[in-house]
Amino acid sequence: QVQLVESGGGLVQAGGSLRLSCAASRRTLSTYTMGWFRQVPGKEREFVAAINWSGGSTLYADSVKGRFSISRDKAKNTVYLQMNSLKPEDTALYYCAARSLGVTTLQSGYNDWGQGTQVTVSS
């Protein structure tokens, strides 16, 4: 089991940027596909972005393409989500997740989840 801890959330004005981090303890992330999801109260958790173990394959939700970028630093055992041009509709609790197979947008495909970090974008 991989223990994941997200950080970097906060309050930002529309048009601003934030970088979320997802760090792992007890196990290296180097062989895992990593994903970011987000959830607004009362709504289903939705896929945001994913990156495979090598970093050579990424997926993005249409709503964040061109604004968000997922990356990984194997030396730091950390995955990042760079979020630019933030919009109020990006406000959500953001989760990172890990799976041992290839990239997928399906949350059911991810086995390990962090506790989430809140992102709030003001208009």
Side-chain angles (χ1 to χ4, degrees), residues 59-82:
L59 283 176
Y60 294 95
D62 288 343
S63 59
V64 307
K65 277 182 184 175
R67 299 188 299 122
F68 290 13
S69 178
I70 188 170
S71 62
R72 63 193 309 157
D73 186 330
K74 291 186 179 181
K76 295 184 178 180
N77 210 31
T78 300
V79 176
Y80 302 100
L81 184 68
Q82 178 67 44

PDB file of all heavy atoms in Angstrom, residues 59-82:
ATOM      1  N   LEU A  59      -2.507  12.017 -19.459  1.00  0.00           N
ATOM      2  CA  LEU A  59      -3.896  12.229 -19.847  1.00  0.00           C
ATOM      3  C   LEU A  59      -4.420  13.434 -19.096  1.00  0.00           C
ATOM      4  O   LEU A  59      -4.038  13.643 -17.932  1.00  0.00           O
ATOM      5  CB  LEU A  59      -4.763  11.021 -19.479  1.00  0.00           C
ATOM      6  CG  LEU A  59      -4.704   9.764 -20.345  1.00  0.00           C
ATOM      7  CD1 LEU A  59      -5.568   8.673 -19.710  1.00  0.00           C
ATOM      8  CD2 LEU A  59      -5.162  10.065 -21.747  1.00  0.00           C
ATOM      9  N   TYR A  60      -5.311  14.182 -19.723  1.00  0.00           N
ATOM     10  CA  TYR A  60      -5.922  15.331 -19.076  1.00  0.00           C
ATOM     11  C   TYR A  60      -7.424  15.354 -19.367  1.00  0.00           C
ATOM     12  O   TYR A  60      -7.867  14.966 -20.452  1.00  0.00           O
ATOM     13  CB  TYR A  60      -5.318  16.638 -19.594  1.00  0.00           C
ATOM     14  CG  TYR A  60      -3.861  16.828 -19.229  1.00  0.00           C
ATOM     15  CD1 TYR A  60      -2.858  16.462 -20.104  1.00  0.00           C
ATOM     16  CD2 TYR A  60      -3.510  17.373 -17.999  1.00  0.00           C
ATOM     17  CE1 TYR A  60      -1.516  16.626 -19.765  1.00  0.00           C
ATOM     18  CE2 TYR A  60      -2.176  17.554 -17.652  1.00  0.00           C
ATOM     19  CZ  TYR A  60      -1.189  17.165 -18.539  1.00  0.00           C
ATOM     20  OH  TYR A  60       0.130  17.336 -18.195  1.00  0.00           O
ATOM     21  N   ALA A  61      -8.167  15.834 -18.411  1.00  0.00           N
ATOM     22  CA  ALA A  61      -9.566  16.121 -18.646  1.00  0.00           C
ATOM     23  C   ALA A  61      -9.659  17.306 -19.608  1.00  0.00           C
ATOM     24  O   ALA A  61      -8.815  18.206 -19.581  1.00  0.00           O
ATOM     25  CB  ALA A  61     -10.269  16.450 -17.336  1.00  0.00           C
ATOM     26  N   ASP A  62     -10.680  17.300 -20.443  1.00  0.00           N
ATOM     27  CA  ASP A  62     -10.831  18.392 -21.412  1.00  0.00           C
ATOM     28  C   ASP A  62     -10.905  19.751 -20.717  1.00  0.00           C
ATOM     29  O   ASP A  62     -10.423  20.750 -21.244  1.00  0.00           O
ATOM     30  CB  ASP A  62     -12.090  18.166 -22.245  1.00  0.00           C
ATOM     31  CG  ASP A  62     -11.928  17.029 -23.238  1.00  0.00           C
ATOM     32  OD1 ASP A  62     -10.780  16.619 -23.511  1.00  0.00           O
ATOM     33  OD2 ASP A  62     -12.961  16.539 -23.742  1.00  0.00           O
ATOM     34  N   SER A  63     -11.486  19.769 -19.543  1.00  0.00           N
ATOM     35  CA  SER A  63     -11.700  21.038 -18.837  1.00  0.00           C
ATOM     36  C   SER A  63     -10.400  21.688 -18.352  1.00  0.00           C
ATOM     37  O   SER A  63     -10.391  22.875 -18.034  1.00  0.00           O
ATOM     38  CB  SER A  63     -12.627  20.820 -17.644  1.00  0.00           C
ATOM     39  OG  SER A  63     -12.060  19.864 -16.764  1.00  0.00           O
ATOM     40  N   VAL A  64      -9.305  20.922 -18.306  1.00  0.00           N
ATOM     41  CA  VAL A  64      -8.045  21.472 -17.799  1.00  0.00           C
ATOM     42  C   VAL A  64      -6.929  21.468 -18.843  1.00  0.00           C
ATOM     43  O   VAL A  64      -5.837  21.986 -18.575  1.00  0.00           O
ATOM     44  CB  VAL A  64      -7.566  20.732 -16.535  1.00  0.00           C
ATOM     45  CG1 VAL A  64      -8.664  20.700 -15.487  1.00  0.00           C
ATOM     46  CG2 VAL A  64      -7.089  19.325 -16.863  1.00  0.00           C
ATOM     47  N   LYS A  65      -7.178  20.903 -20.010  1.00  0.00           N
ATOM     48  CA  LYS A  65      -6.150  20.848 -21.052  1.00  0.00           C
ATOM     49  C   LYS A  65      -5.657  22.234 -21.401  1.00  0.00           C
ATOM     50  O   LYS A  65      -6.451  23.162 -21.576  1.00  0.00           O
ATOM     51  CB  LYS A  65      -6.713  20.172 -22.307  1.00  0.00           C
ATOM     52  CG  LYS A  65      -6.668  18.674 -22.271  1.00  0.00           C
ATOM     53  CD  LYS A  65      -7.207  18.082 -23.569  1.00  0.00           C
ATOM     54  CE  LYS A  65      -7.263  16.576 -23.493  1.00  0.00           C
ATOM     55  NZ  LYS A  65      -7.889  15.978 -24.706  1.00  0.00           N
ATOM     56  N   GLY A  66      -4.348  22.367 -21.492  1.00  0.00           N
ATOM     57  CA  GLY A  66      -3.748  23.646 -21.815  1.00  0.00           C
ATOM     58  C   GLY A  66      -3.546  24.549 -20.620  1.00  0.00           C
ATOM     59  O   GLY A  66      -2.861  25.579 -20.732  1.00  0.00           O
ATOM     60  N   ARG A  67      -4.126  24.195 -19.475  1.00  0.00           N
ATOM     61  CA  ARG A  67      -3.974  25.022 -18.263  1.00  0.00           C
ATOM     62  C   ARG A  67      -3.223  24.272 -17.164  1.00  0.00           C
ATOM     63  O   ARG A  67      -2.475  24.877 -16.402  1.00  0.00           O
ATOM     64  CB  ARG A  67      -5.346  25.431 -17.733  1.00  0.00           C
ATOM     65  CG  ARG A  67      -6.160  26.257 -18.704  1.00  0.00           C
ATOM     66  CD  ARG A  67      -7.433  26.808 -18.037  1.00  0.00           C
ATOM     67  NE  ARG A  67      -8.315  25.764 -17.566  1.00  0.00           N
ATOM     68  CZ  ARG A  67      -8.709  25.636 -16.298  1.00  0.00           C
ATOM     69  NH1 ARG A  67      -8.271  26.482 -15.372  1.00  0.00           N
ATOM     70  NH2 ARG A  67      -9.537  24.662 -15.954  1.00  0.00           N
ATOM     71  N   PHE A  68      -3.449  22.972 -17.063  1.00  0.00           N
ATOM     72  CA  PHE A  68      -2.827  22.158 -16.021  1.00  0.00           C
ATOM     73  C   PHE A  68      -1.752  21.274 -16.644  1.00  0.00           C
ATOM     74  O   PHE A  68      -1.861  20.852 -17.803  1.00  0.00           O
ATOM     75  CB  PHE A  68      -3.852  21.260 -15.346  1.00  0.00           C
ATOM     76  CG  PHE A  68      -4.855  21.968 -14.485  1.00  0.00           C
ATOM     77  CD1 PHE A  68      -5.021  23.341 -14.510  1.00  0.00           C
ATOM     78  CD2 PHE A  68      -5.667  21.236 -13.618  1.00  0.00           C
ATOM     79  CE1 PHE A  68      -5.953  23.987 -13.707  1.00  0.00           C
ATOM     80  CE2 PHE A  68      -6.599  21.842 -12.815  1.00  0.00           C
ATOM     81  CZ  PHE A  68      -6.745  23.217 -12.871  1.00  0.00           C
ATOM     82  N   SER A  69      -0.748  20.958 -15.829  1.00  0.00           N
ATOM     83  CA  SER A  69       0.323  20.088 -16.290  1.00  0.00           C
ATOM     84  C   SER A  69       0.729  19.148 -15.161  1.00  0.00           C
ATOM     85  O   SER A  69       1.024  19.598 -14.048  1.00  0.00           O
ATOM     86  CB  SER A  69       1.521  20.914 -16.731  1.00  0.00           C
ATOM     87  OG  SER A  69       2.589  20.069 -17.143  1.00  0.00           O
ATOM     88  N   ILE A  70       0.759  17.850 -15.458  1.00  0.00           N
ATOM     89  CA  ILE A  70       1.165  16.863 -14.464  1.00  0.00           C
ATOM     90  C   ILE A  70       2.604  16.435 -14.749  1.00  0.00           C
ATOM     91  O   ILE A  70       2.997  16.288 -15.917  1.00  0.00           O
ATOM     92  CB  ILE A  70       0.213  15.645 -14.467  1.00  0.00           C
ATOM     93  CG1 ILE A  70       0.516  14.715 -13.295  1.00  0.00           C
ATOM     94  CG2 ILE A  70       0.237  14.916 -15.797  1.00  0.00           C
ATOM     95  CD1 ILE A  70      -0.537  13.614 -13.105  1.00  0.00           C
ATOM     96  N   SER A  71       3.371  16.267 -13.701  1.00  0.00           N
ATOM     97  CA  SER A  71       4.770  15.849 -13.859  1.00  0.00           C
ATOM     98  C   SER A  71       5.184  15.044 -12.634  1.00  0.00           C
ATOM     99  O   SER A  71       4.456  15.003 -11.635  1.00  0.00           O
ATOM    100  CB  SER A  71       5.681  17.062 -14.029  1.00  0.00           C
ATOM    101  OG  SER A  71       5.640  17.895 -12.885  1.00  0.00           O
ATOM    102  N   ARG A  72       6.338  14.425 -12.727  1.00  0.00           N
ATOM    103  CA  ARG A  72       6.817  13.647 -11.589  1.00  0.00           C
ATOM    104  C   ARG A  72       8.319  13.819 -11.444  1.00  0.00           C
ATOM    105  O   ARG A  72       9.032  13.984 -12.441  1.00  0.00           O
ATOM    106  CB  ARG A  72       6.435  12.175 -11.730  1.00  0.00           C
ATOM    107  CG  ARG A  72       7.031  11.445 -12.907  1.00  0.00           C
ATOM    108  CD  ARG A  72       6.334  10.097 -13.119  1.00  0.00           C
ATOM    109  NE  ARG A  72       6.267   9.318 -11.881  1.00  0.00           N
ATOM    110  CZ  ARG A  72       5.376   8.360 -11.642  1.00  0.00           C
ATOM    111  NH1 ARG A  72       4.494   8.040 -12.552  1.00  0.00           N
ATOM    112  NH2 ARG A  72       5.385   7.708 -10.506  1.00  0.00           N
ATOM    113  N   ASP A  73       8.770  13.766 -10.206  1.00  0.00           N
ATOM    114  CA  ASP A  73      10.189  13.833  -9.878  1.00  0.00           C
ATOM    115  C   ASP A  73      10.514  12.566  -9.103  1.00  0.00           C
ATOM    116  O   ASP A  73      10.183  12.451  -7.922  1.00  0.00           O
ATOM    117  CB  ASP A  73      10.477  15.083  -9.044  1.00  0.00           C
ATOM    118  CG  ASP A  73      11.961  15.288  -8.783  1.00  0.00           C
ATOM    119  OD1 ASP A  73      12.702  14.284  -8.722  1.00  0.00           O
ATOM    120  OD2 ASP A  73      12.373  16.444  -8.616  1.00  0.00           O
ATOM    121  N   LYS A  74      11.151  11.627  -9.791  1.00  0.00           N
ATOM    122  CA  LYS A  74      11.407  10.336  -9.159  1.00  0.00           C
ATOM    123  C   LYS A  74      12.389  10.469  -7.994  1.00  0.00           C
ATOM    124  O   LYS A  74      12.281   9.754  -7.002  1.00  0.00           O
ATOM    125  CB  LYS A  74      11.917   9.342 -10.196  1.00  0.00           C
ATOM    126  CG  LYS A  74      10.854   8.951 -11.207  1.00  0.00           C
ATOM    127  CD  LYS A  74      11.336   7.870 -12.136  1.00  0.00           C
ATOM    128  CE  LYS A  74      10.255   7.466 -13.114  1.00  0.00           C
ATOM    129  NZ  LYS A  74      10.664   6.391 -14.021  1.00  0.00           N
ATOM    130  N   ALA A  75      13.341  11.370  -8.128  1.00  0.00           N
ATOM    131  CA  ALA A  75      14.321  11.544  -7.056  1.00  0.00           C
ATOM    132  C   ALA A  75      13.652  12.015  -5.769  1.00  0.00           C
ATOM    133  O   ALA A  75      14.078  11.654  -4.670  1.00  0.00           O
ATOM    134  CB  ALA A  75      15.390  12.529  -7.489  1.00  0.00           C
ATOM    135  N   LYS A  76      12.597  12.810  -5.903  1.00  0.00           N
ATOM    136  CA  LYS A  76      11.881  13.316  -4.731  1.00  0.00           C
ATOM    137  C   LYS A  76      10.657  12.468  -4.404  1.00  0.00           C
ATOM    138  O   LYS A  76       9.939  12.777  -3.442  1.00  0.00           O
ATOM    139  CB  LYS A  76      11.467  14.767  -4.963  1.00  0.00           C
ATOM    140  CG  LYS A  76      12.639  15.717  -5.094  1.00  0.00           C
ATOM    141  CD  LYS A  76      12.172  17.152  -5.232  1.00  0.00           C
ATOM    142  CE  LYS A  76      13.367  18.100  -5.314  1.00  0.00           C
ATOM    143  NZ  LYS A  76      12.941  19.514  -5.455  1.00  0.00           N
ATOM    144  N   ASN A  77      10.414  11.452  -5.206  1.00  0.00           N
ATOM    145  CA  ASN A  77       9.259  10.580  -4.971  1.00  0.00           C
ATOM    146  C   ASN A  77       7.962  11.379  -4.873  1.00  0.00           C
ATOM    147  O   ASN A  77       7.122  11.143  -3.989  1.00  0.00           O
ATOM    148  CB  ASN A  77       9.468   9.747  -3.701  1.00  0.00           C
ATOM    149  CG  ASN A  77       8.774   8.404  -3.770  1.00  0.00           C
ATOM    150  OD1 ASN A  77       8.615   7.824  -4.839  1.00  0.00           O
ATOM    151  ND2 ASN A  77       8.349   7.900  -2.625  1.00  0.00           N
ATOM    152  N   THR A  78       7.834  12.322  -5.789  1.00  0.00           N
ATOM    153  CA  THR A  78       6.734  13.276  -5.726  1.00  0.00           C
ATOM    154  C   THR A  78       6.146  13.490  -7.117  1.00  0.00           C
ATOM    155  O   THR A  78       6.864  13.463  -8.116  1.00  0.00           O
ATOM    156  CB  THR A  78       7.232  14.626  -5.156  1.00  0.00           C
ATOM    157  OG1 THR A  78       7.755  14.412  -3.839  1.00  0.00           O
ATOM    158  CG2 THR A  78       6.103  15.651  -5.084  1.00  0.00           C
ATOM    159  N   VAL A  79       4.847  13.681  -7.142  1.00  0.00           N
ATOM    160  CA  VAL A  79       4.135  14.019  -8.369  1.00  0.00           C
ATOM    161  C   VAL A  79       3.527  15.405  -8.185  1.00  0.00           C
ATOM    162  O   VAL A  79       3.076  15.752  -7.086  1.00  0.00           O
ATOM    163  CB  VAL A  79       3.041  12.978  -8.665  1.00  0.00           C
ATOM    164  CG1 VAL A  79       2.234  13.375  -9.884  1.00  0.00           C
ATOM    165  CG2 VAL A  79       3.665  11.618  -8.864  1.00  0.00           C
ATOM    166  N   TYR A  80       3.514  16.177  -9.262  1.00  0.00           N
ATOM    167  CA  TYR A  80       3.042  17.557  -9.194  1.00  0.00           C
ATOM    168  C   TYR A  80       1.872  17.774 -10.142  1.00  0.00           C
ATOM    169  O   TYR A  80       1.744  17.110 -11.166  1.00  0.00           O
ATOM    170  CB  TYR A  80       4.164  18.522  -9.573  1.00  0.00           C
ATOM    171  CG  TYR A  80       5.389  18.397  -8.718  1.00  0.00           C
ATOM    172  CD1 TYR A  80       6.503  17.685  -9.165  1.00  0.00           C
ATOM    173  CD2 TYR A  80       5.447  18.983  -7.457  1.00  0.00           C
ATOM    174  CE1 TYR A  80       7.637  17.562  -8.375  1.00  0.00           C
ATOM    175  CE2 TYR A  80       6.585  18.866  -6.668  1.00  0.00           C
ATOM    176  CZ  TYR A  80       7.669  18.155  -7.128  1.00  0.00           C
ATOM    177  OH  TYR A  80       8.789  18.038  -6.351  1.00  0.00           O
ATOM    178  N   LEU A  81       1.055  18.752  -9.789  1.00  0.00           N
ATOM    179  CA  LEU A  81       0.028  19.244 -10.693  1.00  0.00           C
ATOM    180  C   LEU A  81       0.165  20.761 -10.726  1.00  0.00           C
ATOM    181  O   LEU A  81      -0.179  21.435  -9.759  1.00  0.00           O
ATOM    182  CB  LEU A  81      -1.369  18.836 -10.245  1.00  0.00           C
ATOM    183  CG  LEU A  81      -2.487  19.241 -11.202  1.00  0.00           C
ATOM    184  CD1 LEU A  81      -2.382  18.444 -12.509  1.00  0.00           C
ATOM    185  CD2 LEU A  81      -3.865  19.029 -10.561  1.00  0.00           C
ATOM    186  N   GLN A  82       0.717  21.264 -11.816  1.00  0.00           N
ATOM    187  CA  GLN A  82       0.831  22.700 -12.016  1.00  0.00           C
ATOM    188  C   GLN A  82      -0.467  23.208 -12.602  1.00  0.00           C
ATOM    189  O   GLN A  82      -0.880  22.745 -13.673  1.00  0.00           O
ATOM    190  CB  GLN A  82       2.006  23.020 -12.944  1.00  0.00           C
ATOM    191  CG  GLN A  82       2.172  24.494 -13.247  1.00  0.00           C
ATOM    192  CD  GLN A  82       2.575  25.298 -12.017  1.00  0.00           C
ATOM    193  OE1 GLN A  82       3.435  24.883 -11.254  1.00  0.00           O
ATOM    194  NE2 GLN A  82       1.950  26.461 -11.841  1.00  0.00           N
TER     195      GLN A  82
END
